[in-house]
Amino acid sequence: MNGKMNPILISSEKIKRYEHNPILSAKDIPYEADLIFNAGVVKYQGKYVMIFRNDYGYIEGSRFKGTNLGLAFSDDGVSWRVQDKPFFSMEDIQDDEISRLYDPRLTVIDGRCYVCFAVDTRHGLRGGIGVTDDFNKLEIISMTVPDNRNMVLFPEKINGLYTRLERPMPVYSRGKDRFDTWLSKSPDLKFWGESSLILPVEAVPFANDKTGPAAPPIKTKKGWLTTFHAVDIDASRGKNGWEPYWKKRYCAGIMLLDLENPEKIIGMSKEPLIAPETVYEATEGFRTNVIFPGGMILEESGEVKIYYGASDTVECLATAHVDDLLELCKPM
Ligand code: BMA
């Protein structure tokens, strides 16, 4: 796509990585595990809860024996107690059509914990929404048609409607790998419509490939503050990570959406919020140069905890002050 070397990107100086990153990796998991990443995190009934993706049983190339969703709890959002068994495993899938669930995103709405996830099926990639009250069972509410994923729910209804960000994959109309961020609404979390394009690739200076949602939005007085993922391809990148070819770089961006009309971006940083820089983000791991936030928690102190998968291999934490993040979102 791009024959030239892309510019080096650096993270915003407002971002502070947790000094003991990663906060979770394969060595912390009491069952078979290789890659622990792209977790959803929320505060639920006084505890921090994380559902993370675990790809296990590495075979070769990008093939693994399976993927499950693990569960961990924490009192401070930093140290995690991983539960003995996964929250969701391949054995829970009673449908030959489905090969795996991954990239969970959690949102608490009216006291219930909703889980959005991606589903690989024999007939395309689908986005699912489920709900759990006990972190034991997942009740599926709805699934999209292919191809769509990276869905995240807003934490409350807006003008009477549930709202989600999502990333459909229009392979014919936009070229093979050029995907954008959309928003849809629903009266009941089952039927979705009133869809609108909100963040095309070309609106982000550090993307030439795709954009998509990252962690579910948080509410601030100035608007819905939310991260997104922004991908660029650089053909000059050679082999890195475990895979023979991996030429993409995933950065986290930050934007502010209008409180009443969330399809309207009222501010965005023209630079990445988090770009891959450290050893665990840029040098080691399955796919290097991948930053993928999946959880964002606003504390009463104004601290924002951002949980992100690094190199598709480990789960990390970075923090920033909410006022600094709002300040980064310059008017469009
Ligand atoms: C996407 C998804 C993500 C992953 C990213 C980078 O297509 O599979 O889960 O983090 O690629 O490999």
Side-chain angles (χ1 to χ4, degrees), residues 61-102:
S62 55
R63 291 200 304 133
F64 287 79
K65 209 163 77 190
T67 297
N68 53 40
L69 302 182
L71 176 64
F73 294 101
S74 170
D75 298 324
D76 60 4
V78 179
S79 313
W80 294 88
R81 299 181 298 278
V82 179
Q83 301 302 287
D84 289 349
K85 283 195 225 106
F87 167 68
F88 195 92
S89 13
M90 303 287 274
E91 294 83 67
D92 297 320
I93 301 172
Q94 302 295 335
D95 185 345
D96 285 353
E97 181 66 18
I98 293 178
S99 52
R100 61 173 185 162
L101 257 70
Y102 56 103

CSV table of all heavy atoms in Angstrom, one decimal, residues 61-102:
chain,number,residue,atom,x,y,z
A,61,GLY,N,3.0,-20.0,12.1
A,61,GLY,CA,2.4,-18.8,11.4
A,61,GLY,C,1.5,-18.1,12.4
A,61,GLY,O,2.0,-17.6,13.4
A,62,SER,N,0.2,-17.9,12.0
A,62,SER,CA,-0.7,-17.3,13.0
A,62,SER,C,-1.6,-18.3,13.6
A,62,SER,O,-2.7,-17.9,14.0
A,62,SER,CB,-1.4,-16.1,12.3
A,62,SER,OG,-2.0,-16.6,11.2
A,63,ARG,N,-1.3,-19.6,13.5
A,63,ARG,CA,-2.2,-20.6,14.0
A,63,ARG,C,-2.0,-21.0,15.4
A,63,ARG,O,-0.9,-21.3,15.8
A,63,ARG,CB,-2.2,-21.8,13.0
A,63,ARG,CG,-2.7,-21.5,11.7
A,63,ARG,CD,-3.2,-22.7,10.9
A,63,ARG,NE,-2.0,-23.6,10.8
A,63,ARG,CZ,-2.1,-24.9,11.0
A,63,ARG,NH1,-3.2,-25.5,11.4
A,63,ARG,NH2,-1.0,-25.7,10.9
A,64,PHE,N,-3.1,-21.1,16.1
A,64,PHE,CA,-3.1,-21.6,17.5
A,64,PHE,C,-4.1,-22.7,17.7
A,64,PHE,O,-5.1,-22.8,16.8
A,64,PHE,CB,-3.5,-20.5,18.5
A,64,PHE,CG,-2.4,-19.4,18.6
A,64,PHE,CD1,-2.2,-18.5,17.7
A,64,PHE,CD2,-1.6,-19.4,19.7
A,64,PHE,CE1,-1.2,-17.5,17.8
A,64,PHE,CE2,-0.6,-18.5,19.9
A,64,PHE,CZ,-0.4,-17.5,18.9
A,65,LYS,N,-4.0,-23.5,18.7
A,65,LYS,CA,-4.9,-24.6,18.9
A,65,LYS,C,-6.3,-24.0,19.3
A,65,LYS,O,-7.3,-24.5,18.8
A,65,LYS,CB,-4.4,-25.4,20.1
A,65,LYS,CG,-4.9,-26.9,20.1
A,65,LYS,CD,-4.0,-27.6,21.1
A,65,LYS,CE,-4.4,-27.4,22.6
A,65,LYS,NZ,-3.5,-28.0,23.5
A,66,GLY,N,-6.3,-22.9,20.0
A,66,GLY,CA,-7.6,-22.3,20.3
A,66,GLY,C,-7.5,-21.0,21.0
A,66,GLY,O,-6.4,-20.5,21.2
A,67,THR,N,-8.7,-20.4,21.2
A,67,THR,CA,-8.8,-19.1,21.9
A,67,THR,C,-9.8,-19.2,23.0
A,67,THR,O,-10.9,-19.8,22.7
A,67,THR,CB,-9.2,-18.0,20.9
A,67,THR,OG1,-8.2,-17.9,19.9
A,67,THR,CG2,-9.4,-16.6,21.6
A,68,ASN,N,-9.6,-18.7,24.2
A,68,ASN,CA,-10.6,-18.6,25.1
A,68,ASN,C,-10.6,-17.3,25.8
A,68,ASN,O,-9.7,-16.5,25.5
A,68,ASN,CB,-10.6,-19.8,26.2
A,68,ASN,CG,-9.3,-19.9,26.9
A,68,ASN,OD1,-8.6,-18.9,27.2
A,68,ASN,ND2,-8.9,-21.2,27.1
A,69,LEU,N,-11.6,-17.0,26.6
A,69,LEU,CA,-11.7,-15.7,27.3
A,69,LEU,C,-11.5,-16.0,28.8
A,69,LEU,O,-12.3,-16.7,29.4
A,69,LEU,CB,-13.1,-15.1,27.1
A,69,LEU,CG,-13.5,-14.8,25.6
A,69,LEU,CD1,-14.9,-14.1,25.6
A,69,LEU,CD2,-12.5,-13.9,24.9
A,70,GLY,N,-10.4,-15.4,29.3
A,70,GLY,CA,-10.1,-15.6,30.8
A,70,GLY,C,-10.8,-14.5,31.6
A,70,GLY,O,-11.2,-13.4,31.1
A,71,LEU,N,-10.8,-14.7,32.9
A,71,LEU,CA,-11.4,-13.8,33.8
A,71,LEU,C,-10.5,-13.5,35.0
A,71,LEU,O,-9.9,-14.4,35.5
A,71,LEU,CB,-12.7,-14.5,34.4
A,71,LEU,CG,-13.5,-13.8,35.4
A,71,LEU,CD1,-14.1,-12.5,34.9
A,71,LEU,CD2,-14.7,-14.7,35.9
A,72,ALA,N,-10.4,-12.2,35.3
A,72,ALA,CA,-9.6,-11.8,36.5
A,72,ALA,C,-10.3,-10.7,37.3
A,72,ALA,O,-11.0,-9.9,36.7
A,72,ALA,CB,-8.2,-11.4,36.0
A,73,PHE,N,-10.0,-10.7,38.6
A,73,PHE,CA,-10.6,-9.6,39.4
A,73,PHE,C,-9.4,-8.9,40.1
A,73,PHE,O,-8.3,-9.4,40.3
A,73,PHE,CB,-11.5,-10.2,40.5
A,73,PHE,CG,-12.7,-10.9,40.0
A,73,PHE,CD1,-12.8,-12.2,39.8
A,73,PHE,CD2,-13.8,-10.1,39.6
A,73,PHE,CE1,-13.9,-12.8,39.3
A,73,PHE,CE2,-14.9,-10.7,39.1
A,73,PHE,CZ,-15.0,-12.1,38.9
A,74,SER,N,-9.7,-7.6,40.5
A,74,SER,CA,-8.7,-6.8,41.2
A,74,SER,C,-9.4,-5.8,42.1
A,74,SER,O,-10.5,-5.4,41.9
A,74,SER,CB,-7.9,-6.1,40.1
A,74,SER,OG,-7.1,-5.1,40.6
A,75,ASP,N,-8.7,-5.5,43.2
A,75,ASP,CA,-9.2,-4.5,44.1
A,75,ASP,C,-8.7,-3.1,43.8
A,75,ASP,O,-9.3,-2.1,44.2
A,75,ASP,CB,-8.7,-4.8,45.6
A,75,ASP,CG,-9.3,-6.1,46.0
A,75,ASP,OD1,-10.5,-6.4,45.6
A,75,ASP,OD2,-8.6,-6.9,46.7
A,76,ASP,N,-7.6,-3.0,43.0
A,76,ASP,CA,-7.0,-1.7,42.7
A,76,ASP,C,-6.8,-1.4,41.2
A,76,ASP,O,-6.3,-0.3,40.9
A,76,ASP,CB,-5.6,-1.6,43.4
A,76,ASP,CG,-4.6,-2.6,43.0
A,76,ASP,OD1,-4.9,-3.4,42.1
A,76,ASP,OD2,-3.5,-2.6,43.5
A,77,GLY,N,-7.2,-2.4,40.4
A,77,GLY,CA,-7.1,-2.1,39.0
A,77,GLY,C,-5.6,-2.4,38.4
A,77,GLY,O,-5.4,-2.2,37.3
A,78,VAL,N,-4.8,-2.8,39.4
A,78,VAL,CA,-3.4,-3.0,39.0
A,78,VAL,C,-2.9,-4.4,39.2
A,78,VAL,O,-2.3,-5.1,38.3
A,78,VAL,CB,-2.4,-2.0,39.8
A,78,VAL,CG1,-1.0,-2.2,39.4
A,78,VAL,CG2,-2.9,-0.6,39.6
A,79,SER,N,-3.2,-5.0,40.3
A,79,SER,CA,-2.8,-6.4,40.6
A,79,SER,C,-4.1,-7.3,40.4
A,79,SER,O,-5.1,-7.0,41.0
A,79,SER,CB,-2.4,-6.6,42.0
A,79,SER,OG,-1.5,-5.6,42.4
A,80,TRP,N,-3.9,-8.4,39.7
A,80,TRP,CA,-5.0,-9.2,39.3
A,80,TRP,C,-5.0,-10.6,39.8
A,80,TRP,O,-3.9,-11.2,39.9
A,80,TRP,CB,-5.1,-9.2,37.7
A,80,TRP,CG,-5.4,-7.8,37.2
A,80,TRP,CD1,-4.5,-6.8,36.9
A,80,TRP,CD2,-6.7,-7.2,37.0
A,80,TRP,NE1,-5.1,-5.7,36.5
A,80,TRP,CE2,-6.4,-5.9,36.6
A,80,TRP,CE3,-8.0,-7.7,37.1
A,80,TRP,CZ2,-7.5,-5.0,36.2
A,80,TRP,CZ3,-9.0,-6.8,36.8
A,80,TRP,CH2,-8.8,-5.5,36.4
A,81,ARG,N,-6.2,-11.1,40.2
A,81,ARG,CA,-6.3,-12.5,40.6
A,81,ARG,C,-7.0,-13.2,39.4
A,81,ARG,O,-8.2,-12.9,39.1
A,81,ARG,CB,-7.2,-12.6,41.8
A,81,ARG,CG,-6.6,-11.9,43.0
A,81,ARG,CD,-7.6,-12.1,44.3
A,81,ARG,NE,-8.9,-11.5,44.1
A,81,ARG,CZ,-9.2,-10.2,44.2
A,81,ARG,NH1,-8.3,-9.4,44.6
A,81,ARG,NH2,-10.4,-9.8,44.1
A,82,VAL,N,-6.3,-14.1,38.7
A,82,VAL,CA,-6.9,-14.8,37.6
A,82,VAL,C,-7.7,-16.0,38.1
A,82,VAL,O,-7.2,-16.7,38.9
A,82,VAL,CB,-5.8,-15.2,36.6
A,82,VAL,CG1,-6.4,-16.0,35.4
A,82,VAL,CG2,-5.0,-14.0,36.1
A,83,GLN,N,-8.9,-16.1,37.6
A,83,GLN,CA,-9.7,-17.3,38.0
A,83,GLN,C,-9.2,-18.6,37.4
A,83,GLN,O,-8.6,-18.6,36.4
A,83,GLN,CB,-11.2,-17.0,37.6
A,83,GLN,CG,-11.8,-15.7,38.2
A,83,GLN,CD,-11.7,-15.7,39.7
A,83,GLN,OE1,-12.5,-16.4,40.4
A,83,GLN,NE2,-10.8,-14.9,40.3
A,84,ASP,N,-9.5,-19.7,38.2
A,84,ASP,CA,-9.0,-21.0,37.8
A,84,ASP,C,-9.4,-21.4,36.4
A,84,ASP,O,-8.6,-22.1,35.7
A,84,ASP,CB,-9.5,-22.1,38.7
A,84,ASP,CG,-8.9,-21.9,40.1
A,84,ASP,OD1,-7.9,-21.1,40.2
A,84,ASP,OD2,-9.4,-22.6,41.0
A,85,LYS,N,-10.6,-21.1,36.0
A,85,LYS,CA,-11.1,-21.5,34.7
A,85,LYS,C,-11.4,-20.3,33.8
A,85,LYS,O,-11.8,-19.3,34.3
A,85,LYS,CB,-12.4,-22.3,34.9
A,85,LYS,CG,-12.2,-23.7,35.4
A,85,LYS,CD,-13.5,-24.5,35.2
A,85,LYS,CE,-13.8,-25.3,36.4
A,85,LYS,NZ,-14.8,-24.9,37.3
A,86,PRO,N,-11.4,-20.5,32.5
A,86,PRO,CA,-11.8,-19.4,31.6
A,86,PRO,C,-13.2,-19.0,31.8
A,86,PRO,O,-14.1,-19.9,32.2
A,86,PRO,CB,-11.5,-19.9,30.2
A,86,PRO,CG,-10.6,-21.1,30.4
A,86,PRO,CD,-10.9,-21.6,31.7
A,87,PHE,N,-13.6,-17.8,31.5
A,87,PHE,CA,-15.0,-17.3,31.5
A,87,PHE,C,-15.7,-18.0,30.4
A,87,PHE,O,-16.9,-18.3,30.5
A,87,PHE,CB,-15.0,-15.8,31.4
A,87,PHE,CG,-16.3,-15.2,31.1
A,87,PHE,CD1,-17.3,-15.2,32.0
A,87,PHE,CD2,-16.5,-14.6,29.8
A,87,PHE,CE1,-18.5,-14.6,31.7
A,87,PHE,CE2,-17.7,-14.0,29.6
A,87,PHE,CZ,-18.8,-14.0,30.5
A,88,PHE,N,-15.0,-18.1,29.2
A,88,PHE,CA,-15.7,-18.7,28.0
A,88,PHE,C,-14.7,-19.5,27.3
A,88,PHE,O,-13.6,-19.0,27.0
A,88,PHE,CB,-16.2,-17.6,27.2
A,88,PHE,CG,-17.2,-18.0,26.1
A,88,PHE,CD1,-18.6,-18.0,26.4
A,88,PHE,CD2,-16.8,-18.5,24.9
A,88,PHE,CE1,-19.5,-18.5,25.4
A,88,PHE,CE2,-17.7,-18.9,23.9
A,88,PHE,CZ,-19.0,-18.9,24.2
A,89,SER,N,-14.9,-20.8,27.0
A,89,SER,CA,-14.0,-21.6,26.2
A,89,SER,C,-14.6,-22.2,25.0
A,89,SER,O,-15.8,-22.2,24.8
A,89,SER,CB,-13.3,-22.7,27.1
A,89,SER,OG,-14.0,-22.9,28.3
A,90,MET,N,-13.8,-22.8,24.3
A,90,MET,CA,-14.2,-23.5,23.0
A,90,MET,C,-15.3,-24.5,23.3
A,90,MET,O,-16.2,-24.7,22.5
A,90,MET,CB,-13.0,-24.2,22.4
A,90,MET,CG,-11.8,-23.4,22.0
A,90,MET,SD,-12.1,-22.3,20.7
A,90,MET,CE,-11.7,-23.4,19.3
A,91,GLU,N,-15.2,-25.2,24.5
A,91,GLU,CA,-16.3,-26.2,24.8
A,91,GLU,C,-17.6,-25.6,25.0
A,91,GLU,O,-18.6,-26.2,25.0
A,91,GLU,CB,-15.9,-26.9,26.2
A,91,GLU,CG,-14.6,-27.8,26.1
A,91,GLU,CD,-13.4,-26.9,26.3
A,91,GLU,OE1,-13.2,-26.5,27.4
A,91,GLU,OE2,-12.6,-26.8,25.3
A,92,ASP,N,-17.7,-24.3,25.3
A,92,ASP,CA,-19.0,-23.6,25.5
A,92,ASP,C,-19.6,-23.3,24.2
A,92,ASP,O,-20.8,-22.9,24.1
A,92,ASP,CB,-18.8,-22.2,26.2
A,92,ASP,CG,-18.2,-22.4,27.6
A,92,ASP,OD1,-18.6,-23.4,28.3
A,92,ASP,OD2,-17.4,-21.6,28.0
A,93,ILE,N,-18.9,-23.5,23.1
A,93,ILE,CA,-19.5,-23.3,21.8
A,93,ILE,C,-20.1,-24.5,21.2
A,93,ILE,O,-19.4,-25.5,21.0
A,93,ILE,CB,-18.4,-22.7,20.8
A,93,ILE,CG1,-17.8,-21.5,21.4
A,93,ILE,CG2,-19.0,-22.5,19.4
A,93,ILE,CD1,-16.6,-21.0,20.6
A,94,GLN,N,-21.4,-24.5,21.1
A,94,GLN,CA,-22.1,-25.8,20.7
A,94,GLN,C,-22.5,-25.7,19.2
A,94,GLN,O,-23.4,-26.3,18.8
A,94,GLN,CB,-23.4,-25.9,21.5
A,94,GLN,CG,-23.3,-26.0,23.0
A,94,GLN,CD,-22.5,-27.2,23.4
A,94,GLN,OE1,-22.5,-28.2,22.7
A,94,GLN,NE2,-21.8,-27.2,24.5
A,95,ASP,N,-21.8,-24.9,18.5
A,95,ASP,CA,-22.2,-24.6,17.1
A,95,ASP,C,-21.0,-24.7,16.2
A,95,ASP,O,-20.0,-24.0,16.3
A,95,ASP,CB,-22.7,-23.1,17.2
A,95,ASP,CG,-23.3,-22.6,15.8
A,95,ASP,OD1,-23.1,-23.3,14.8
A,95,ASP,OD2,-24.0,-21.6,15.9
A,96,ASP,N,-21.1,-25.7,15.3
A,96,ASP,CA,-20.0,-25.9,14.3
A,96,ASP,C,-19.6,-24.7,13.5
A,96,ASP,O,-18.6,-24.6,13.0
A,96,ASP,CB,-20.4,-27.0,13.3
A,96,ASP,CG,-20.4,-28.4,14.0
A,96,ASP,OD1,-19.9,-28.4,15.2
A,96,ASP,OD2,-20.8,-29.4,13.4
A,97,GLU,N,-20.6,-23.9,13.3
A,97,GLU,CA,-20.4,-22.7,12.5
A,97,GLU,C,-19.3,-21.7,13.1
A,97,GLU,O,-18.6,-21.0,12.4
A,97,GLU,CB,-21.8,-22.0,12.4
A,97,GLU,CG,-21.9,-20.7,11.6
A,97,GLU,CD,-21.6,-21.0,10.1
A,97,GLU,OE1,-21.7,-22.1,9.6
A,97,GLU,OE2,-21.3,-20.0,9.4
A,98,ILE,N,-19.3,-21.8,14.5
A,98,ILE,CA,-18.4,-20.8,15.2
A,98,ILE,C,-17.1,-21.4,15.5
A,98,ILE,O,-17.0,-22.5,16.1
A,98,ILE,CB,-19.1,-20.3,16.5
A,98,ILE,CG1,-20.4,-19.5,16.1
A,98,ILE,CG2,-18.2,-19.5,17.3
A,98,ILE,CD1,-21.2,-19.0,17.2
A,99,SER,N,-16.0,-20.7,15.2
A,99,SER,CA,-14.7,-21.3,15.5
A,99,SER,C,-14.1,-20.6,16.8
A,99,SER,O,-13.3,-21.2,17.5
A,99,SER,CB,-13.7,-21.2,14.4
A,99,SER,OG,-13.7,-20.0,13.8
A,100,ARG,N,-14.4,-19.3,17.0
A,100,ARG,CA,-13.9,-18.7,18.3
A,100,ARG,C,-14.5,-17.4,18.6
A,100,ARG,O,-15.0,-16.7,17.7
A,100,ARG,CB,-12.3,-18.5,18.2
A,100,ARG,CG,-11.9,-17.6,17.1
A,100,ARG,CD,-10.4,-17.3,17.2
A,100,ARG,NE,-10.0,-16.4,16.1
A,100,ARG,CZ,-8.9,-15.7,16.1
A,100,ARG,NH1,-8.0,-15.8,17.1
A,100,ARG,NH2,-8.7,-14.8,15.2
A,101,LEU,N,-14.4,-17.0,19.8
A,101,LEU,CA,-14.9,-15.7,20.3
A,101,LEU,C,-13.6,-14.9,20.8
A,101,LEU,O,-12.8,-15.6,21.5
A,101,LEU,CB,-15.8,-15.8,21.5
A,101,LEU,CG,-17.3,-15.7,21.3
A,101,LEU,CD1,-17.8,-16.8,20.5
A,101,LEU,CD2,-18.0,-15.6,22.7
A,102,TYR,N,-13.5,-13.7,20.6
A,102,TYR,CA,-12.3,-13.0,21.0
A,102,TYR,C,-12.5,-11.5,21.2
A,102,TYR,O,-13.6,-11.0,20.9
A,102,TYR,CB,-11.1,-13.3,20.1
A,102,TYR,CG,-11.4,-12.9,18.6
A,102,TYR,CD1,-10.8,-11.8,18.0
A,102,TYR,CD2,-12.2,-13.7,17.8
A,102,TYR,CE1,-11.1,-11.5,16.7
A,102,TYR,CE2,-12.4,-13.4,16.5
A,102,TYR,CZ,-11.8,-12.3,15.9
A,102,TYR,OH,-12.1,-12.0,14.6
